[in-house]
Amino acid sequence: MEWYYAVWKPKMEEKFGLRIHRKLFTTEEWFRKCVEVGRTEIRRKYPNSTVHQMDIKMCESLKEAITT
């Protein structure tokens, strides 16, 4: 997860202008909590990363991802 947020997303922003990112995730609450803990740690370790300005949301359906 760290590589994904700290390396991949900033490179996608630089190369392709990625600013909005929707992810289809399970509805399992424990998994979502794990993701949030990981994102908090990344904010702590990489406070100046451009990833923090991206519009990133977890969605439960393709329709939700398209319409939000």
Side-chain angles (χ1 to χ4, degrees):
M1 184 169 163
E2 184 172 346
W3 172 86
Y4 177 67
Y5 276 90
V7 177
W8 185 83
K9 284 187 182 200
K11 282 188 179 183
M12 293 300 104
E13 179 190 24
E14 180 183 317
K15 287 186 175 187
F16 304 108
L18 177 69
R19 299 297 301 152
I20 299 171
H21 191 194
R22 299 294 180 261
K23 300 187 277 186
L24 297 176
F25 274 5
T26 178
T27 58
E28 294 291 333
E29 191 60 33
W30 66 267
F31 182 79
R32 290 175 178 252
K33 294 264 187 217
C34 290
V35 170
E36 190 54 42
V37 167
R39 289 170 77 176
T40 299
E41 180 67 13
I42 289 163
R43 278 193 285 285
R44 185 188 67 75
K45 287 177 78 173
Y46 305 94
N48 299 319
S49 175
T50 60
V51 75
H52 306 305
Q53 283 76 49
M54 290 181 178
D55 180 6
I56 302 169
K57 291 186 179 149
M58 292 186 274
C59 300
E60 295 179 12
S61 70
L62 188 56
K63 181 178 180 180
E64 180 187 1
I66 291 168
T67 60
T68 62

